[in-house]
Amino acid sequence: MALAIHVLNATAAGPMVLGLIVTCGGVGAFVGSVSSARLTARYGYGRSLLISLVLGNTAPLLGVLGAELVPAGAFPFLSAAFLLSGIGSGVANSQSTGIRQVAVTEEVRGRVNAGYRIASWGALSIGALIGGVLATILGPVTAAIAGTALMALSTLPVALSPARHVRTIEEVAPRRAEHGDVPAAEPRRTG
């Protein structure tokens, strides 16, 4: 939000420049999503997820800082940041979706995905509101730096979790009881 305000106000060609920068993010997301399987095969789920989150969540901060430090290079810095963020997001989205699909039993998969969507899409709305308020109070550049810094920090929960050690997706699957198709955590019903 704050970054968009800044780009739109910076030049007369602001809308076109913003469109090109956002397009770089879409191209990056496409490249990341088609590269995800190869990265997973080479580095495993946990490492490729963590690397892609670091890339996707840190690139915007570096782009905003670069654009602020070298105003003449704002377009290349922001375009590269969105491209790299898109690549990281494309990989991370396919990784996390795959892990989430396998890590829960079939009986709760729909509820888990619905809960995830509500939380993630709800956070976008709340973040846009907060971004608008911060841009009004602090100015668009300071708000963009604050927002992208928080985004970079959002990688920490995954970096500190056991997910970073997952090599194959089968490692996160719920364990099944030896007899029957009942998850090991649930007692078998008799009667």
Coordinates of all heavy atoms in Angstrom, one line a residue, residues 2-61:
A2 N 1.8 1.4 1.0 CA 2.6 2.6 1.1 C 3.5 2.7 -0.1 O 3.8 3.8 -0.6 CB 3.4 2.5 2.4
L3 N 4.1 1.5 -0.5 CA 5.0 1.5 -1.7 C 4.2 2.0 -2.9 O 4.8 2.8 -3.7 CB 5.5 0.1 -1.9 CG 6.5 0.0 -3.1 CD1 7.7 0.8 -2.9 CD2 6.9 -1.5 -3.2
A4 N 3.0 1.5 -3.1 CA 2.2 2.0 -4.3 C 2.0 3.5 -4.3 O 2.1 4.1 -5.3 CB 0.9 1.2 -4.3
I5 N 1.7 4.0 -3.1 CA 1.5 5.5 -3.0 C 2.8 6.2 -3.4 O 2.7 7.2 -4.1 CB 1.1 5.8 -1.5 CG1 -0.3 5.3 -1.2 CG2 1.1 7.4 -1.3 CD1 -0.7 5.3 0.3
H6 N 3.9 5.7 -2.9 CA 5.2 6.4 -3.2 C 5.4 6.3 -4.7 O 5.8 7.3 -5.2 CB 6.3 5.7 -2.4 CG 7.6 6.3 -2.6 ND1 7.9 7.6 -2.2 CD2 8.8 5.8 -3.1 CE1 9.2 7.9 -2.5 NE2 9.7 6.8 -3.1
V7 N 5.3 5.2 -5.3 CA 5.6 5.1 -6.7 C 4.6 5.9 -7.5 O 5.0 6.6 -8.5 CB 5.5 3.6 -7.2 CG1 5.5 3.5 -8.7 CG2 6.6 2.8 -6.5
L8 N 3.4 5.9 -7.2 CA 2.4 6.7 -7.9 C 2.7 8.2 -7.8 O 2.4 9.0 -8.7 CB 1.0 6.4 -7.4 CG 0.4 5.1 -7.8 CD1 -0.9 4.8 -7.1 CD2 0.3 4.9 -9.3
N9 N 3.2 8.7 -6.7 CA 3.5 10.1 -6.5 C 4.8 10.5 -7.0 O 5.1 11.7 -7.1 CB 3.3 10.5 -5.0 CG 1.9 10.4 -4.5 OD1 1.0 10.5 -5.2 ND2 1.8 10.2 -3.2
A10 N 5.7 9.6 -7.2 CA 7.1 9.9 -7.5 C 7.3 10.6 -8.9 O 8.1 11.5 -9.1 CB 8.0 8.7 -7.4
T11 N 6.5 10.1 -9.9 CA 6.7 10.6 -11.3 C 5.3 10.7 -11.9 O 4.3 10.1 -11.5 CB 7.5 9.7 -12.2 OG1 6.9 8.4 -12.3 CG2 8.9 9.5 -11.5
A12 N 5.3 11.4 -13.1 CA 4.0 11.5 -13.8 C 3.7 10.1 -14.4 O 2.5 9.8 -14.6 CB 4.2 12.5 -14.9
A13 N 4.7 9.3 -14.7 CA 4.4 8.0 -15.2 C 4.2 6.9 -14.1 O 4.3 5.7 -14.4 CB 5.6 7.6 -16.1
G14 N 3.9 7.4 -12.9 CA 3.7 6.5 -11.8 C 2.8 5.3 -12.0 O 3.2 4.2 -11.7
P15 N 1.6 5.5 -12.6 CA 0.7 4.3 -12.8 C 1.4 3.2 -13.7 O 1.3 2.0 -13.5 CB -0.5 4.9 -13.5 CG -0.6 6.3 -13.0 CD 0.9 6.7 -12.9
M16 N 2.1 3.7 -14.8 CA 2.7 2.7 -15.7 C 3.9 2.1 -15.0 O 4.1 0.9 -15.1 CB 3.2 3.4 -17.0 CG 3.8 2.5 -18.0 SD 4.4 3.3 -19.5 CE 5.8 4.1 -18.9
V17 N 4.7 2.8 -14.3 CA 5.8 2.3 -13.5 C 5.4 1.3 -12.5 O 5.9 0.2 -12.4 CB 6.6 3.4 -12.9 CG1 7.7 2.9 -11.9 CG2 7.3 4.3 -13.9
L18 N 4.3 1.6 -11.8 CA 3.8 0.7 -10.8 C 3.3 -0.6 -11.4 O 3.6 -1.7 -11.0 CB 2.7 1.3 -10.0 CG 2.0 0.4 -8.9 CD1 3.1 0.0 -7.8 CD2 0.9 1.1 -8.2
G19 N 2.6 -0.5 -12.6 CA 2.2 -1.7 -13.3 C 3.3 -2.5 -13.7 O 3.2 -3.8 -13.6
L20 N 4.4 -1.9 -14.2 CA 5.6 -2.7 -14.6 C 6.2 -3.4 -13.4 O 6.7 -4.6 -13.5 CB 6.6 -1.8 -15.4 CG 6.1 -1.3 -16.7 CD1 7.1 -0.3 -17.2 CD2 6.0 -2.5 -17.7
I21 N 6.3 -2.7 -12.3 CA 6.9 -3.3 -11.1 C 6.1 -4.5 -10.6 O 6.6 -5.6 -10.4 CB 7.1 -2.3 -10.0 CG1 8.2 -1.2 -10.4 CG2 7.5 -2.9 -8.7 CD1 8.2 0.0 -9.5
V22 N 4.8 -4.3 -10.6 CA 3.9 -5.4 -10.1 C 4.0 -6.6 -11.1 O 3.9 -7.8 -10.7 CB 2.5 -4.9 -9.9 CG1 1.5 -6.0 -9.7 CG2 2.5 -3.9 -8.8
T23 N 4.1 -6.3 -12.4 CA 4.2 -7.3 -13.4 C 5.5 -8.2 -13.2 O 5.5 -9.4 -13.4 CB 4.3 -6.7 -14.9 OG1 3.1 -6.1 -15.1 CG2 4.5 -7.8 -15.9
C24 N 6.6 -7.5 -12.7 CA 7.8 -8.3 -12.4 C 7.5 -9.3 -11.3 O 8.0 -10.4 -11.3 CB 8.9 -7.4 -12.0 SG 9.6 -6.4 -13.3
G25 N 6.6 -8.9 -10.3 CA 6.3 -9.9 -9.3 C 5.5 -11.1 -9.9 O 5.7 -12.2 -9.4
G26 N 4.6 -10.8 -10.8 CA 3.9 -11.9 -11.4 C 4.8 -12.9 -12.2 O 4.6 -14.1 -12.2
V27 N 5.7 -12.3 -13.0 CA 6.7 -13.1 -13.7 C 7.5 -13.9 -12.8 O 7.7 -15.1 -13.0 CB 7.6 -12.2 -14.6 CG1 8.7 -13.0 -15.2 CG2 6.7 -11.6 -15.7
G28 N 7.9 -13.3 -11.7 CA 8.7 -14.1 -10.7 C 7.9 -15.2 -10.0 O 8.4 -16.3 -9.9
A29 N 6.6 -15.0 -9.8 CA 5.8 -16.0 -9.2 C 5.7 -17.2 -10.1 O 5.7 -18.3 -9.7 CB 4.4 -15.4 -8.8
F30 N 5.5 -16.9 -11.4 CA 5.4 -18.0 -12.4 C 6.7 -18.8 -12.4 O 6.7 -20.0 -12.4 CB 5.1 -17.4 -13.8 CG 5.1 -18.4 -14.9 CD1 4.1 -19.3 -15.0 CD2 6.2 -18.5 -15.7 CE1 4.1 -20.3 -16.0 CE2 6.3 -19.5 -16.7 CZ 5.2 -20.4 -16.9
V31 N 7.9 -18.1 -12.5 CA 9.2 -18.8 -12.5 C 9.4 -19.6 -11.2 O 9.8 -20.7 -11.3 CB 10.3 -17.7 -12.7 CG1 11.7 -18.4 -12.4 CG2 10.3 -17.1 -14.0
G32 N 9.0 -19.0 -10.1 CA 9.1 -19.8 -8.8 C 8.2 -21.0 -8.8 O 8.7 -22.1 -8.4
S33 N 7.0 -20.9 -9.3 CA 6.1 -22.0 -9.2 C 6.6 -23.2 -10.1 O 6.4 -24.3 -9.8 CB 4.7 -21.6 -9.5 OG 4.6 -21.2 -10.8
V34 N 7.1 -22.8 -11.3 CA 7.6 -23.9 -12.2 C 8.9 -24.5 -11.8 O 9.3 -25.6 -12.2 CB 7.6 -23.5 -13.7 CG1 6.2 -23.1 -14.2 CG2 8.6 -22.4 -13.9
S35 N 9.6 -23.7 -10.9 CA 11.0 -24.2 -10.5 C 10.8 -25.0 -9.1 O 11.8 -25.6 -8.7 CB 11.9 -23.0 -10.2 OG 12.0 -22.3 -11.4
S36 N 9.7 -24.9 -8.5 CA 9.5 -25.5 -7.2 C 9.9 -27.0 -7.1 O 10.6 -27.4 -6.2 CB 8.1 -25.3 -6.7 OG 7.9 -25.8 -5.4
A37 N 9.4 -27.8 -8.0 CA 9.7 -29.2 -8.0 C 11.1 -29.5 -8.1 O 11.7 -30.4 -7.4 CB 8.9 -29.9 -9.1
R38 N 11.9 -28.8 -9.0 CA 13.3 -29.1 -9.1 C 14.1 -28.7 -7.8 O 15.0 -29.4 -7.4 CB 13.9 -28.3 -10.3 CG 13.6 -29.0 -11.6 CD 14.2 -28.3 -12.7 NE 13.5 -27.0 -12.7 CZ 13.6 -26.1 -13.7 NH1 14.3 -26.3 -14.7 NH2 13.0 -24.9 -13.6
L39 N 13.7 -27.6 -7.2 CA 14.3 -27.1 -6.0 C 14.1 -28.1 -4.9 O 15.0 -28.4 -4.1 CB 13.9 -25.7 -5.6 CG 14.3 -24.6 -6.6 CD1 13.6 -23.3 -6.2 CD2 15.8 -24.4 -6.5
T40 N 12.8 -28.6 -4.8 CA 12.5 -29.5 -3.8 C 13.3 -30.8 -3.9 O 13.8 -31.4 -2.9 CB 11.0 -29.9 -3.8 OG1 10.3 -28.6 -3.7 CG2 10.6 -30.8 -2.7
A41 N 13.4 -31.3 -5.2 CA 14.1 -32.6 -5.4 C 15.6 -32.4 -5.0 O 16.2 -33.3 -4.5 CB 14.0 -33.0 -6.9
R42 N 16.1 -31.2 -5.3 CA 17.6 -31.0 -5.0 C 17.9 -30.7 -3.5 O 18.8 -31.2 -3.0 CB 18.1 -29.9 -5.9 CG 19.5 -29.6 -5.7 CD 20.1 -28.7 -6.7 NE 21.5 -28.5 -6.4 CZ 22.4 -28.2 -7.3 NH1 22.0 -27.9 -8.5 NH2 23.6 -28.0 -7.0
Y43 N 17.0 -29.9 -2.9 CA 17.4 -29.4 -1.5 C 16.4 -29.9 -0.5 O 16.7 -29.7 0.7 CB 17.3 -27.8 -1.5 CG 18.3 -27.2 -2.4 CD1 17.9 -26.6 -3.6 CD2 19.7 -27.3 -2.2 CE1 18.8 -26.0 -4.5 CE2 20.6 -26.7 -3.0 CZ 20.2 -26.1 -4.2 OH 21.1 -25.5 -5.0
G44 N 15.3 -30.6 -0.8 CA 14.4 -31.0 0.1 C 13.3 -30.0 0.4 O 13.5 -28.8 0.1
Y45 N 12.2 -30.4 1.0 CA 11.1 -29.4 1.3 C 11.5 -28.3 2.3 O 11.2 -27.2 2.0 CB 9.9 -30.2 1.8 CG 9.0 -30.6 0.7 CD1 9.2 -31.8 0.0 CD2 7.9 -29.8 0.4 CE1 8.3 -32.1 -1.0 CE2 7.0 -30.1 -0.6 CZ 7.2 -31.3 -1.4 OH 6.4 -31.6 -2.4
G46 N 12.1 -28.7 3.4 CA 12.4 -27.7 4.4 C 13.3 -26.6 3.9 O 13.1 -25.5 4.1
R47 N 14.4 -27.1 3.4 CA 15.4 -26.1 2.9 C 14.9 -25.2 1.8 O 15.1 -24.0 1.8 CB 16.7 -26.8 2.5 CG 17.7 -26.9 3.6 CD 19.1 -27.2 3.1 NE 19.4 -28.6 3.2 CZ 20.3 -29.2 2.7 NH1 21.2 -28.5 1.9 NH2 20.5 -30.5 2.8
S48 N 14.3 -25.8 0.8 CA 13.8 -25.0 -0.3 C 12.7 -24.0 0.2 O 12.6 -22.9 -0.3 CB 13.3 -25.8 -1.5 OG 12.3 -26.7 -1.1
L49 N 11.8 -24.5 1.1 CA 10.8 -23.6 1.7 C 11.5 -22.4 2.4 O 11.1 -21.2 2.2 CB 9.9 -24.3 2.7 CG 8.9 -23.5 3.4 CD1 7.9 -22.8 2.5 CD2 8.1 -24.4 4.4
L50 N 12.5 -22.7 3.3 CA 13.1 -21.7 4.0 C 13.9 -20.7 3.1 O 13.8 -19.4 3.3 CB 14.1 -22.3 5.0 CG 14.8 -21.3 6.0 CD1 13.7 -20.5 6.8 CD2 15.7 -22.0 7.0
I51 N 14.6 -21.2 2.1 CA 15.3 -20.3 1.2 C 14.4 -19.4 0.4 O 14.6 -18.2 0.3 CB 16.2 -21.1 0.3 CG1 17.4 -21.8 1.1 CG2 16.8 -20.3 -0.9 CD1 18.1 -22.8 0.3
S52 N 13.3 -20.0 0.0 CA 12.3 -19.2 -0.8 C 11.6 -18.2 0.1 O 11.3 -17.1 -0.4 CB 11.3 -20.2 -1.5 OG 10.5 -20.8 -0.5
L53 N 11.4 -18.5 1.3 CA 10.8 -17.5 2.2 C 11.7 -16.4 2.5 O 11.3 -15.2 2.5 CB 10.3 -18.1 3.5 CG 9.1 -19.0 3.5 CD1 8.8 -19.7 4.8 CD2 7.9 -18.1 3.1
V54 N 13.0 -16.7 2.7 CA 14.0 -15.6 2.9 C 14.1 -14.7 1.7 O 14.0 -13.5 1.8 CB 15.4 -16.2 3.3 CG1 16.5 -15.2 3.2 CG2 15.4 -16.9 4.6
L55 N 14.1 -15.3 0.5 CA 14.2 -14.6 -0.7 C 12.9 -13.7 -0.9 O 13.0 -12.5 -1.1 CB 14.4 -15.5 -1.9 CG 14.4 -14.8 -3.3 CD1 15.7 -13.9 -3.4 CD2 14.4 -15.9 -4.4
G56 N 11.8 -14.4 -0.8 CA 10.5 -13.7 -1.1 C 10.1 -12.7 0.0 O 9.5 -11.6 -0.4
N57 N 10.5 -12.9 1.2 CA 10.2 -11.9 2.3 C 11.2 -10.8 2.5 O 10.9 -9.8 3.1 CB 9.9 -12.7 3.6 CG 8.6 -13.5 3.5 OD1 7.8 -13.3 2.6 ND2 8.5 -14.4 4.3
T58 N 12.4 -11.0 2.1 CA 13.5 -10.0 2.3 C 13.7 -9.1 1.1 O 14.1 -8.0 1.2 CB 14.8 -10.7 2.7 OG1 14.5 -11.6 3.8 CG2 15.9 -9.7 3.1
A59 N 13.5 -9.6 -0.1 CA 13.7 -8.8 -1.3 C 13.0 -7.5 -1.3 O 13.5 -6.5 -1.7 CB 13.4 -9.6 -2.6
P60 N 11.7 -7.4 -0.9 CA 11.0 -6.1 -0.9 C 11.7 -5.1 0.0 O 11.8 -3.9 -0.4 CB 9.6 -6.5 -0.3 CG 9.4 -7.9 -0.7 CD 10.7 -8.5 -0.6
L61 N 12.2 -5.5 1.2 CA 12.9 -4.6 2.1 C 14.2 -4.0 1.4 O 14.4 -2.8 1.4 CB 13.3 -5.2 3.4 CG 14.1 -4.4 4.3 CD1 13.4 -3.1 4.8 CD2 14.5 -5.2 5.6

